Amino acid sequence: MDKQEARRILAAYRPGDQDAADPQFAQAVKEAARDPELARWFAQEREFDRAIAGHLESVPAPFGLKTRILANAAPRAASKSSWAAALAVVAAVLFLLAQLVSSWRDSARSSASLPDYQREMVSFIELAPPLEMKSSNLGEIKNWLAKKEVASVAVPPRLAALDPVGCRILSFRGRKVTLICFRQGERNLAHLFVVDRAALPKLTPGTAPTLADEGEWTTASWAEKDRAYMIAVRGGRDAVKRYLPNA
């Protein structure tokens, strides 16, 4: 058995010692004992496997996942070696892990709250934000955003009356967020954030804007059709109300 074959077999070695009595695993373990580099790799691999197993034990599997794995598993001939069967088990575990990660991401998306969104967006503008496109022309900004395949933005009239500075595209729970910045006086900026309303499903059209304070920033959030809007300014609630669509 050469080093590469031993490594391939040891990659299927399960946490614990249930594979220790298997002749092929035993031979691969002996090869690792003779090769310091292979031994280091095997030790790291086992530590990683133990960590993954510990995490998997603490996370409930999505409903029906075991059934799907078993239903898609190809029947194995009785003559196949146990280490090859173990490889199939590893593949199933990796599939399970991928499903759990996907499930966690979907859960994170669906459980995103407006306060989460407010905090994340305000944290980005606490210092002057780096902009991908700078322009004092709102039409040029909208054209640039259109080329980036983001949804069109209905800028509130009183905000549109300010001089724009530029824009960029952010991300929130895997969804694109449009940020347009406007000059508010000599030193301050007013920021408009727009995201697909699916990111904030509890924000419904027709309801009054939600006001919130995040440090020295005040935000106003509302929904129009399939978009969720948020304005963030310094100066308190009266300052942000000034720029709302129906102000």
Side-chain angles (χ1 to χ4, degrees), residues 1 13 39 57 62 67 88 105 107-108 133-134 141 178 196-197 218 224:
M1 178 181 294
Y13 201 100
E57 286 177 356
T67 301
R105 287 176 175 171
S107 175
M133 189 273 188
K134 295 182 179 181
I141 290 174
T178 298
D196 190 312
R197 195 168 63 83
T218 300
E224 288 183 14

Side-chain angles (χ1 to χ4, degrees), residues 102-228:
S102 176
S103 176
W104 175 84
R105 287 176 175 171
D106 290 342
S107 175
R109 274 192 176 189
S110 62
S111 64
S113 67
L114 181 57
D116 292 334
Y117 180 68
Q118 292 163 339
R119 282 191 294 270
E120 288 191 31
M121 297 303 105
V122 168
S123 69
F124 182 78
I125 59 172
E126 284 179 332
L127 299 176
L131 302 175
E132 293 177 282
M133 189 273 188
K134 295 182 179 181
S135 174
S136 59
N137 186 301
L138 186 56
E140 291 180 357
I141 290 174
K142 288 185 175 182
N143 289 337
W144 184 87
L145 290 170
K147 293 177 182 177
K148 296 297 181 179
E149 299 181 349
V150 295
S152 59
V153 177
V155 181
R158 291 196 177 186
L159 197 59
L162 301 178
D163 292 330
V165 177
C167 65
R168 72 164 294 139
I169 298 171
L170 304 173
S171 179
F172 176 72
R173 303 298 193 269
R175 300 183 188 276
K176 290 183 178 180
V177 180
T178 298
L179 166 63
I180 304 178
C181 304
F182 300 85
R183 200 171 299 283
Q184 184 194 20
E186 294 183 1
R187 297 183 179 180
N188 291 323
L189 294 176
H191 305 279
L192 176 66
F193 299 89
V194 186
V195 67
D196 190 312
R197 195 168 63 83
L200 301 167
K202 293 184 179 180
L203 203 60
T204 57
T207 58
T210 300
L211 303 181
D213 298 306
E214 292 289 336
E216 61 182 356
W217 292 88
T218 300
T219 64
S221 307
W222 72 98
E224 288 183 14
K225 297 181 180 179
D226 59 349
R227 301 283 175 268

